[in-house]
Amino acid sequence: MQASLDEATDPWGVKVERVEIKDVRLPIQLQRAMAAEAEATREAKAKVIAAEGEQKASRALKDAADILDESSSALQLRYLQTLSQISDEKNSTIIFPMPIDFLKAFNK
């Protein structure tokens, strides 16, 4: 751009230092292409963010499983906490599994 300006203004002895562009009109086809590119970029970024979130969630679940695996009482407490949360939601029926060994004690 500077070369074009110098070529046009040098014969007059004028040096252009700054140019301000106020109104640029792009063809509709170019506008659509730019919009499609911007949308593709946004979608790609959203997929990366979602994948990072899934990765963090899976790490947190693995850490929680490791902690619960260390202590059987921790698993039991978590189980009871889950039942408590279900009952807070005012559900009328709660179905929960019981170990078969537990039921054998009542058969005697």
Side-chain angles (χ1 to χ4, degrees):
M1 183 184 262
Q2 184 68 46
S4 297
L5 285 171
D6 288 343
E7 184 180 317
T9 57
D10 279 346
W12 294 81
V14 176
K15 176 69 175 162
V16 177
E17 291 183 10
R18 248 179 274 158
V19 175
E20 182 179 335
I21 300 173
K22 290 192 177 214
D23 188 20
V24 177
R25 295 185 187 196
L26 299 174
I28 298 295
Q29 191 174 10
L30 181 57
Q31 290 177 8
R32 288 183 183 147
M34 290 172 69
E37 182 182 1
E39 184 176 354
T41 302
R42 282 191 303 273
E43 287 177 1
K45 286 180 182 179
K47 287 180 182 178
V48 168
I49 290 169
E52 288 172 352
E54 289 291 327
Q55 191 176 35
K56 286 179 183 177
S58 65
R59 282 191 186 126
L61 283 172
K62 184 193 176 303
D63 292 344
D66 290 344
I67 291 169
L68 290 174
D69 190 43
E70 291 174 7
S71 170
S72 61
S73 61
L75 181 60
Q76 199 67 9
L77 288 171
R78 180 65 184 128
Y79 179 69
L80 292 172
Q81 183 182 20
T82 302
L83 288 176
S84 174
Q85 288 174 342
I86 291 171
S87 67
D88 286 344
E89 294 173 5
K90 297 182 181 162
N91 291 326
S92 59
T93 305
I94 299 174
I95 299 173
F96 59 95
M98 293 177 61
I100 298 217
D101 295 340
F102 182 76
L103 294 175
K104 286 181 184 177
F106 290 112
N107 286 339
K108 291 181 182 181

